[in-house]
Each structure stands twice: as C-alpha cells, then as structure tokens.
C-alpha cells in the first residue's frame, strides 16, 4: 500500500512539473490538460457575468480580468498540486498521517523552515520540495515580462489600425478610408505590416496560450477582429482590383489564416485545412455588395463589379471565415460587422466613417 501511495505521489509531482514546463519553459505549441482545467475554472464565473451584460463595453469589463486571474490561479494550482504530491510521497516514505505529511511538506515547499526527522529519505524529499517552490515561482515571475512584451507588440499594431479601419475595425472601412485620402496605392505597406504581425502572433499565442485571452484596453478593439478586418480588406482588393499589386495582399492573407489555424491547433478546434473556393460562406452577397458601395462612395475605385468580384472574394474568405467567427464567439469580443454571432444576442457595432470637412472660403 505504501508503494502504491508513493507511485501516486510521484505521478502527481511529475505531472505538475510537466504542466509547468509546457506552460512556462517549452517555446513550442504545447498545452497542458491541467492548465486547461484551471483556466476553465476561472473562465466560467466571469463568462457567467459577461453573458448577463447587455452592452459590448459591459462584457469587456467583465472578461478583462480573466487572463490575469488565470495566470495567478495557475501558480496557485501548481503549488497546491506539488504540495499534495510531495505530501503523498512523504506519507509513503515515513508512514506519517495526512496532516503530518502536509505539514512536513509545507514548511519545505514554501521555505518556512525545516521540520523533518533525521531519516535520509525524508531529508531528500524536503530538499526537493524546498527547491521546487522558489523554482516554480521564479519561472512564473520571469514569464510575465515575456508575456506582456508580446501583448504590447500585438496591441501597438491593433491600435494603429484604428485610424485606418475604424473602431471596431472593419475590412471595407479600410478600403473606404484609403480611398477617401487617395492612398489606395499604399495599401501594400499595411499588408506587409500585418503579414509580420500574423507571424509574431502565431508564434507567441501558440507558445503562451493565455495571450489570446488578454483583451485590448478599449472595448471596441480586439486582435481577432483587427486581423479579420485586414484579411477582408485584402480579399476585397484581390477580388475587385486584379490589376493592382497582389503579392503583398496574398501573403498577408496566407499569413493571417495560417496564424488562425496554428492557434486553433493548440486550442484543439477542428477546421477544414483545404476548403473548396466554391464552398458557401456565411457572409451574404447582399452584405458584400453594400460594403463595396460604401467603399466606392468614399473614393475607392474598382475594376470589377460586385457580381464579378463575389466568387473571387468568397474563394478567399472561405479560408479564414469559420475560424475567425469561432474565435470571436469564444472570446466574446466586440460584435464588429462581418465577424459572426456572439454568445448572447447583441446588435452589430459599426465604425463611423470620418467626414472630410474643409473650412469655408469666407473663413
């Protein structure tokens, strides 16, 4: 029986160490089942509150603490699991009862003192537990600057997009604003920036999964909605203006939907890896035609009619629409146009196109 108890304790300790390594140390797309359970425990009460909010801003306030609380909860969960695992090992080695084993392990793990007997087995376990606590806490502390550095880089580009795509971001609004100021030829710069952004987000959000839950400072901004807006703008440009430079838009689209798929793999969200361009999408032709009319009314010129461009736009959007809608639903972000449904019924929040006003001659 003591051997079985010792095996159980060793499995708890090793499993917890595996969770710590997968979450904090291994810079690869891995995710621990233990941290998934802990995050779910944090997510459920906050989501319960968010589902009862009737505005996007209220939902944003309710869900903003989730990521930070989840990080703290992970640290507490690891320490408690290690405490239980080492206490089980202590009980197996020494024959202590549950309370004595927890006390023996606790004073070592949390470096409160040294309370073991003189037996070699207990001394070794006490030293291991005493080293484990500071190591786990130190890794967590060192993990935070990396996490917030990646978050800051992500949000800088999202904030910059606000002037080009509105708040919340919307793909057709990008075309409208570039057309309004006569800069449609410089959209290649935007696509280059977001190709790199997608690569950085793919790397950081698969290595540190909790980053996806960090929300923007403003309720009408979000990384997934911003990426969707840029990809929609690229798809519209490719579909409406085949004579314009295509390389940058195509590369940005490719990087965008690869980013979504990489994150979906870590989240274990299934998707079609090679969808047919003739597959129907959820966005309707009527919405597409209205968006084209909005862009052209603000100075964006087109080579194809909406009817001619629709099959090409649909062929591009099928690559990313499902995953973009799924992430927007799961993260419960601002209900921007063309971003799918949310958990609770909410009206779409559309950006306002600025009016190009000039002073009168009399002034």
């Amino acid at each position: 029986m003591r051997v079985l108890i010792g095996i159980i304790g060793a499995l708890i300790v090793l499993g917890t160490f595996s969770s710590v390594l997968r979450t904090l140390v291994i810079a690869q797309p891995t995710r621990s089942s233990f941290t998934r359970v802990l995050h779910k425990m944090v997510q459920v009460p906050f989501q319960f509150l968010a589902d009862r909010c009737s505005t996007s801003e209220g939902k944003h306030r309710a869900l903003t603490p989730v990521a930070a609380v989840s990080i703290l909860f992970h640290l507490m969960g690891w320490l408690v699991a290690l405490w239980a695992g080492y206490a089980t090992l202590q009980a197996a080695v020494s024959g202590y009862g549950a309370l004595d084993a927890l006390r023996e392990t606790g004073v070592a793990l949390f470096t409160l003192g040294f309370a073991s007997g003189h037996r070699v087995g207990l001394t070794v376990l006490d030293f291991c537990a005493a080293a484990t606590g500071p190591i786990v806490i130190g890794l967590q502390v060192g993990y935070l600057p990396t996490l917030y550095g990646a978050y800051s880089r992500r949000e800088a580009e999202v904030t910059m997009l606000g002037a080009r795509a509105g708040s919340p971001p919307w793909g057709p609004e990008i075309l409208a604003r570039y057309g309004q100021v006569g800069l449609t030829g410089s959209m290649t710069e935007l696509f280059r920036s977001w190709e790199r952004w997608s690569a950085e987000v793919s790397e950081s959000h698969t290595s540190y999964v909790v980053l996806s839950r960090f929300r923007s400072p403003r309720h009408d901004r979000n990384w997934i909605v911003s990426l969707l807006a840029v990809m929609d703008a690229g798809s519209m440009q490719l579909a409406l203006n085949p004579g314009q430079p295509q390389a940058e838009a195509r590369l940005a689209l490719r990087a965008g939907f690869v980013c979504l798929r990489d994150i979906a793999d870590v989240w274990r969200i299934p998707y079609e890896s090679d969808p047919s361009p003739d597959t129907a999408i959820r966005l309707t032709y009527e919405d597409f035609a209205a968006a084209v009319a909005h862009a052209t009314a603000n100075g964006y010129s087109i080579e194809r009619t909406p009817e001619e461009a629709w099959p090409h736009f649909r062929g591009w959007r099928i690559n990313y629409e499902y995953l973009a809608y799924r992430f927007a639903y799961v993260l419960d972000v601002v209900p921007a146009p063309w971003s799918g449904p949310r958990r609770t019924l909410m009206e779409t929040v559309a950006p306002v196109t600025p009016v190009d006003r000039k002073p009168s001659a009399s002034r």
Side-chain angles (χ1 to χ4, degrees), residues 19 31-45 70 73-74 77-78 268:
S19 176
R31 193 175 184 186
S32 163
S33 298
F34 183 66
T35 57
R36 281 201 301 271
V37 172
L38 292 178
H39 177 77
K40 194 68 175 177
M41 294 170 64
V42 173
Q43 175 73 20
V44 167
S70 179
F73 207 65
H74 287 167
W78 287 326
R268 300 180 182 178

Side-chain angles (χ1 to χ4, degrees), residues 68-254:
V69 174
S70 179
I71 292 172
L72 180 61
F73 207 65
H74 287 167
L75 177 60
M76 295 172 58
W78 287 326
L79 291 176
V80 169
L82 288 168
W83 189 5
Y86 276 120
T88 305
L89 284 171
Q90 291 275 14
V93 170
S94 66
Y96 283 167
L99 292 178
D100 289 335
L102 287 171
R103 173 181 174 276
E104 178 84 19
T105 302
V107 295
L109 181 65
F110 301 106
T111 62
L112 300 175
F114 196 78
S116 75
H118 296 291
R119 282 176 286 184
V120 175
L122 289 183
T123 303
V124 170
L125 286 175
D126 282 333
F127 274 120
C128 289
T132 297
I135 288 173
V136 172
I137 295 172
L139 286 173
Q140 182 80 321
V141 171
Y143 162 76
L144 292 178
T146 302
L147 202 66
Y148 283 98
Y151 169 77
S152 178
R153 290 191 297 273
R154 185 193 78 184
E155 289 302 309
E157 203 69 36
V158 170
T159 301
M160 287 178 60
L161 188 67
R164 304 165 188 244
S167 295
W170 183 38
E173 185 68 14
I174 296 177
L175 304 185
R177 295 195 180 195
Y178 271 80
Q180 195 177 63
V181 296
L183 292 176
T184 54
S186 65
M187 290 187 66
T188 54
E189 179 187 351
L190 173 71
F191 294 135
R192 286 195 198 102
S193 297
W194 278 81
E195 179 191 359
R196 179 173 294 277
W197 181 93
S198 297
E200 291 180 351
V201 168
S202 175
E203 187 277 330
S204 61
H205 287 51
T206 54
S207 298
Y208 308 109
V209 182
V210 72
L211 268 174
S212 299
R213 299 280 183 179
F214 275 87
R215 304 175 78 87
S216 297
R218 288 173 54 103
H219 75 94
D220 54 0
R221 296 178 188 155
N222 183 267
W223 68 271
I224 187 64
V225 173
S226 297
L227 177 58
L228 176 60
V230 173
M231 289 194 291
D232 278 337
S235 297
M236 290 183 73
Q237 176 164 299
L238 291 171
L240 292 165
N241 291 309
Q244 293 186 6
Q246 294 196 358
E248 288 79 6
R250 292 172 71 97
L251 291 173
L253 276 168
R254 178 71 184 177

Side-chain angles (χ1 to χ4, degrees), residues 328-343:
Y329 178 88
V330 171
L331 298 175
D332 214 358
V333 300
V334 56
W338 292 19
S339 62
R342 297 296 183 269
R343 293 175 58 90

